[in-house]
Amino acid sequence: MDTIRPSVGFAAVKLLEDAGCTVEVPAQTCCGQPAFNNGDRATAKALAMQMIEAFERYDAIVVPSGSCGGQIIKHYPELFADDPNLAPRANRLAAKTHELVSFLTDILGVQAVAAHYPGRVTYHDSCSGLRELGIQSQPRKLLQSVEGLELVEMPHSDVCCGFGGTFAVKYGDISNQIVTEKVTNVASVEPDTLLAGDMGCLLNMAGKLSRQGSSIKVRHVAEVLANMGDEPAIGEAEGGKP
Amino acid sequence: MSTVSTAHDFKRNAEKVIADGTVVKNLKAVRQNFIDKRVKAAQGLPEFEALRENAKEIKNHTLAHLDLYLERYEAKVKEAGGHVHFAVDAAEARKIALEICRKVGAKTVTKGKSMITEEVGLNEFLETNGITPVETDLGEYIIQLRGERPSHIIAPAVHLNKNQIESDFRRVHTHLDPNRDLTEKVSLLTEARGVLRERFLAADVGITGANFLIAETGTSIIVTNEGNGDLTQILPKVHIVMASIEKMVPTLEDVSQILRLLARSATGQEMSVYTTLSTGPKRMGDLDGPEEYHVILLDNGRSAMLGGEFQDMLRCIRCAACMNHCPVYHQIGGHAYGWIYPGPMGSVLSPSLIGVDEAGHLPNASTFCGRCESVCPMKIPLPKMMRHWREREYERHLNPALTRAGLGFWAFFAMRPKLYGLATRIGMKLMALASRGKGRFASLPFASGWTKHRDFAAPQGETFQARFKRERGTR
Ligand code: SF4
C-alpha cells in the first residue's frame, strides 16, 4: 500500500477524516507478517516490537488491509504469549487495532459514504479479513450507499485468490491455477470493476486479469468508498486504458 | 520405514498433475458437492458449534491421559477374549499382521478401508509374502486394480472419472461378457459387488481399521457407507483391527458426540450408513463373528507428538473436510503430496511422521487462507501448525536459500524505518519510471514465479508516507 499504491492510504485518511477522526501517520515499515509466515519468528517479533513502539500511544490503529490487521490483532498476542512483559502491550495494541472498513462501520457507526462510482462492481472476500476478522457484510453495506454503483456477487467470493504472500512466487504454478479459477468466477458476473480490501490479493488478481487482456478494473475498496475511483486502476496506465 | 514417499518432489508432482489436467477436471466435477452438503448438514444441527467444542475437549482430555486409556482399552479387549499388540513402527505392525495370517495359513485376506494399513504399506508386504489382500471398499478396490494409492482419505478414487474406472473394470474383469453395458454408475457398483462377494466368502482373515477405539469397553468402531466393513470383519475366521493409538476415546457416550460431527463434516450425511462396533471374537451363542480377534495398535511417531506443539493434530478424526475445502488440494489432488495423507491435515501430519526433511514442502504449500481450520470439526489450528513447521525449517536452514536471502534483504530494511523510507522512495520512483507509463510489468527478475503467469502492477511513484509527509508537513 505504502509503496505500490499510496492512493489507498489517502483514501483511508479521507474516510477517517470524513468520519471525524484525526489521522497521523508515524514512520513505519511492515507489520512483520512475511517473516512470521515464513517461519522467521525472531524477525517477526522484532518488527512487531517496532510497531508496538510506534503505535501504542494512539487511541486506535486503523489498517487498510485484512491480513496486516489480522497479523496485529490475532498474531501479535500469540507471538508474545509467553513473555510476561510484552504480552500486555501486544494485547493492548491488538485490542485497539482495526481493519479500515470494519472500523468505519462497527466502531464509528458509519452507515453510508458520500461517493459516486458508476458501474457494475463485484467484491472479493480476502481470506484474513474474512476468516480472521469476520469482515463480510461491512464493505458490502457501505458499497451499497455509493451512488451509481451496482453490486453483484460473484460465485465463491469467499474462496482464496491464490496469493498467500511468498506462496505466489514459491508455488507459482499452483497459485496460477487458483487465481485463474478466481478471475473466471469474477468475469462470470461481467463486472466493470473488481474490489477487495487487501493489496496482496488485488495485485494478484489484477496481474492475472491484465495478463488475460481483460478490461475489468481492479481497485481497493477504500478508493471507491472515498470517492477516489477516478485514479488509474491497479496495473492501469496513467490516462485510463491499459 | 513406512510406505515410500515422494513428498520431497512435491513441486514437480504438482506441476505434472497441473500439466496433465485430468485430475483437476475430475475433482472439479465433485468437489462443490462435498462443500454444499457439509454446510447444509452443519446448519441443520443447531448444536453443531457446541459439539465441536465438546469434541475438542474430549480428545484433548484423552490425549492428556492416553497411557491410561490405552491400558484400560487393552484390559477390556483381553476380557472380551481378544489380543492386543503394540507396534512401535510400520515394520513391526506389518510383521505382527503377517504372523497372525501365517498362523492360520491364510491365502487371502479381505480389507476394509483403512489409512493406517496404507501408512504401513501392508498390502505390498502381504503380497510379497504370498498372501493376497483384497480391498473391499469400492474406491479402495478401484485404486488397488490400478496399483495406486488413495488420493483422498475418505474417497480414495476421487481423482478418477467414470470412464477411467470402466476401462479398469474391462481390463481386469476378463471373465465377464466384454459386451456388457457399463454406462451407468450403478452398473459399475453392481459389477464390483459381484466380484467382491466371492472374495468375501473365500477370505481367511479380515483386516479393518478403526475410526474409534473405546477404552471403557474395548470396542472398535468403523463407519462405512457400503457395509463392506461388516462383511470383512464378520465372515473370516480371524479379524485384525489395525489402528493408530490416537483413535482412543474414553466412553461410548463420548464417541456418540464425535460421531455426530464426523459424517456431517465428511460427506454431509447425518450419520454414515453403517456404524459397526466390534468387541472381541465371537461369543458362545453368537450366530456369526470371527474366532480370533486381534488389535494392532500403531505408534509410528505419534507418541513423540504428545506434549509438543503438534499434539493438537492427534485430535484429527480423518473426516477430510480440510482437504475438501482446500484451494491447493483442489488444484493438484492428493497424489501430488507424495505420501499417504494429503491436504492440510497431511501437511501437518506427514512431517511429524516421516520427517520435515522429506515432507518440508507440504507445510509451505499453503496460502494460509484458513478455510481448513474454519471447517475442521475438531478445531485443529492447521495453518498455525503449518507455520510451526516453517519455523522449524527456518531454524534448521531447510528452506530455499533464495527465499531466505530475499527475506533477509527485506528484513534489513524493514528493521530500519529511516532507511526503509529512503529505499522505498527511490525504489518506487525507479520502478514507476521503469514501467514506462504502462502501469504494469510483464516480467520482473527475482519474481519470475509471479510474472510467468501474471503481470505485476507498477507503483504509482511516490510512497504514501513520503507524500503524506510532503502534503501535511508532519512527522
Ligand atoms: S484435520 Fe480436521 S478437517 Fe482435516 S481430516 Fe482431520 S478432523 Fe477432518
Side-chain angles (χ1 to χ4, degrees), chain B residues 153 313 315-323 345 372 375-380 382:
Chain B
I153 59 174
M313 194 60 225
R315 288 204 299 266
C316 176
I317 55 171
R318 305 291 189 266
C319 73
C322 54
M323 60 197 76
M345 57 81 65
C372 49
V375 296
C376 173
M378 305 306 288
K379 294 197 157 187
I380 299 173
L382 294 154

Side-chain angles (χ1 to χ4, degrees), chain B residues 357-379:
Chain B
D357 299 67
E358 170 63 26
H361 267 300
L362 309 186
N364 280 285
S366 161
T367 64
F368 281 165
C369 80
R371 218 177 171 204
C372 49
E373 181 178 357
S374 76
V375 296
C376 173
M378 305 306 288
K379 294 197 157 187

Side-chain angles (χ1 to χ4, degrees), chain B residues 71-89:
Chain B
E71 264 173 43
R72 190 170 303 170
Y73 172 80
E74 184 190 15
K76 285 289 167 184
V77 174
K78 282 186 179 159
E79 227 171 80
H83 308 270
V84 177
H85 315 259
F86 285 91
V88 174
D89 58 15

Side-chain angles (χ1 to χ4, degrees), chain B residues 73 77 113-114 208-224 229-230 233 239 241-244 247-260 262 271-272 274-280 293 295 317:
Chain B
Y73 172 80
V77 174
K113 199 187 126 19
S114 145
T208 65
N211 291 87
F212 303 98
L213 303 170
I214 301 165
E216 87 175 331
T217 55
T219 302
S220 85
I221 297 192
I222 52 172
V223 298
T224 65
D230 297 44
Q233 63 187 43
H239 177 200
V241 177
M242 194 184 280
S244 50
K247 293 287 177 320
M248 197 61 60
V249 174
T251 66
L252 272 170
E253 170 55 35
D254 294 330
V255 168
S256 67
Q257 296 211 36
I258 303 179
L259 275 173
R260 300 180 73 196
L262 176 57
M271 282 293 268
S272 304
Y274 299 88
T275 300
T276 312
L277 289 72
S278 69
T279 316
Y293 182 85
V295 182
I317 55 171

